[in-house]
Amino acid sequence: MGTRILQRVIAPALINSFKPYRHNVTQVKERVVCLNTALNKSIIRTYAKSKDRGKDKKDKGLKVQVDPMLMSELIPVDKMKERCIATIDRMKEDYAKNLSLRSTTGSIESLIVKFEGKDHELQELAQIIRKNPKTMVINFASFPQAIPHALKAIHSSGLNLNPQQDGTTLYVPVPKVTKEHREALAKNAKALYIKCRDALKDVQNDFIKKAKKHTSVSEDLVFSVTKQIIAFCDEYQSKAKNIYETKHNELVGK
């Protein structure tokens, strides 16, 4: 009898006393599982980002190989090259003619004068001679009526020139090279470079359009040639930039 009473009272009490421990163990296990899952997920995401970044850097560093034979299947490569070279040469000529610190003769010769309703370069209307390092002589014997128009163009040119008239001749003192004059020339050099760069981009776009007109070839070929055209013209843009930077440093006295 006593044994049965003990079984009915003590046994349930012992069982109930162990329930919290089982519950706590289950909670701990669940938390460990959740923590491991979260850690695994975060590690996977981190590795994915690192991998992607490495891939982007690798792709960015790849240089397009230019194959003239392949490009010639879609475009006339020689003509594209000729246009690029001509654009660079034009920039060099403009620099040599208009951006010299030692002489403003080139700038005067190409100065635009509005005369009789048309635009003319000054050298078309007068004979321009460098009398000495400090003076230029502009002779309007052939078109004396153009003198007022020429004076107006010279005064508004920003070349810092102050011509003196004697009959049909203008005497133009060549100013000393000042810091302001250097900065003005450097600004003009940049403008001519931008003009050259834009012209090279026009060449690039023209030949990309020509390549894309070929609809009977594979898309992969058109894509490859397009990339090579861009790389080809980029080389000439780099040349133009180097020429500009050299000229800029010369003009500002670096």
Side-chain angles (χ1 to χ4, degrees):
M1 185 71 177
T3 303
R4 290 180 180 178
I5 293 172
L6 288 173
Q7 288 177 348
R8 290 178 180 178
V9 175
I10 296 175
L14 288 173
I15 292 171
N16 290 332
S17 67
F18 281 103
K19 284 183 179 180
Y21 292 100
R22 289 199 302 271
H23 180 68
N24 290 339
V25 170
T26 302
Q27 286 184 336
V28 170
K29 287 182 178 179
E30 289 176 352
R31 289 174 183 174
V32 170
V33 171
C34 292
L35 181 60
N36 287 337
T37 303
L39 287 173
N40 288 336
K41 287 182 179 179
S42 63
I43 291 172
I44 291 171
R45 286 197 298 269
T46 302
Y47 287 156
K49 287 183 179 179
S50 298
K51 186 176 180 181
D52 291 341
R53 285 198 298 269
K55 184 178 180 181
D56 291 341
K57 290 180 180 179
K58 185 177 179 181
D59 292 342
K60 189 175 181 180
L62 291 176
K63 184 177 180 180
V64 177
Q65 296 296 325
V66 176
D67 184 354
M69 292 295 293
L70 181 66
M71 288 195 295
S72 64
E73 295 183 22
L74 301 183
I75 62 167
V77 180
D78 290 341
K79 288 186 178 180
M80 180 172 65
K81 184 177 181 180
E82 287 174 3
R83 285 183 60 182
C84 288
I85 292 174
T87 302
I88 295 289
D89 289 343
R90 196 177 307 117
M91 176 183 171
K92 289 179 180 178
E93 290 173 5
D94 288 339
Y95 275 8
K97 187 176 182 180
N98 301 318
L99 299 177
S100 174
L101 289 171
R102 294 180 294 275
S103 173
T104 56
T105 305
S107 301
I108 283 287
E109 288 177 347
S110 59
L111 189 65
I112 299 300
V113 178
K114 189 173 288 294
F115 176 60
E116 294 183 347
K118 296 181 180 180
D119 290 341
H120 300 270
E121 288 189 355
L122 184 58
Q123 61 186 347
E124 297 174 3
L125 304 173
Q127 182 183 17
I128 303 172
I129 302 172
R130 188 67 178 263
K131 184 177 180 180
N132 56 57
K134 295 183 179 181
T135 308
M136 284 187 295
V137 178
I138 307 176
N139 190 341
F140 285 91
S142 299
F143 297 96
Q145 64 273 31
I147 292 177
H149 304 279
L151 286 171
K152 182 179 179 180
I154 292 172
H155 286 139
S156 60
S157 66
L159 295 173
N160 193 29
L161 300 176
N162 186 25
Q164 304 296 321
Q165 183 178 354
D166 183 8
T168 59
T169 303
L170 297 181
Y171 293 91
V172 185
V174 178
K176 292 182 179 179
V177 179
T178 62
K179 180 181 178 181
E180 290 75 15
H181 183 57
R182 286 178 178 272
E183 291 175 349
L185 290 176
K187 186 177 180 180
N188 291 338
K190 185 175 183 179
L192 290 171
Y193 158 66
I194 292 174
K195 180 181 178 181
C196 176
R197 183 194 64 189
D198 291 345
L200 289 170
K201 286 184 178 179
D202 289 340
V203 174
Q204 172 183 302
N205 293 334
D206 287 347
F207 282 90
I208 287 176
K209 288 179 181 178
K210 290 180 185 293
K212 290 184 176 180
K213 285 182 179 179
H214 292 270
T215 57
S216 60
V217 299
S218 68
E219 292 182 0
D220 288 342
L221 177 60
V222 174
F223 178 80
S224 178
V225 170
T226 298
K227 288 290 186 182
Q228 292 186 43
I229 291 172
I230 294 172
F232 184 89
C233 293
D234 280 349
E235 288 293 328
Y236 284 93
Q237 288 190 37
S238 296
K239 290 180 181 180
K241 186 176 182 180
N242 290 336
I243 294 170
Y244 158 66
E245 289 176 346
T246 301
K247 192 65 178 180
H248 177 271
N249 292 338
E250 173 193 331
L251 293 172
V252 299
K254 286 187 178 180

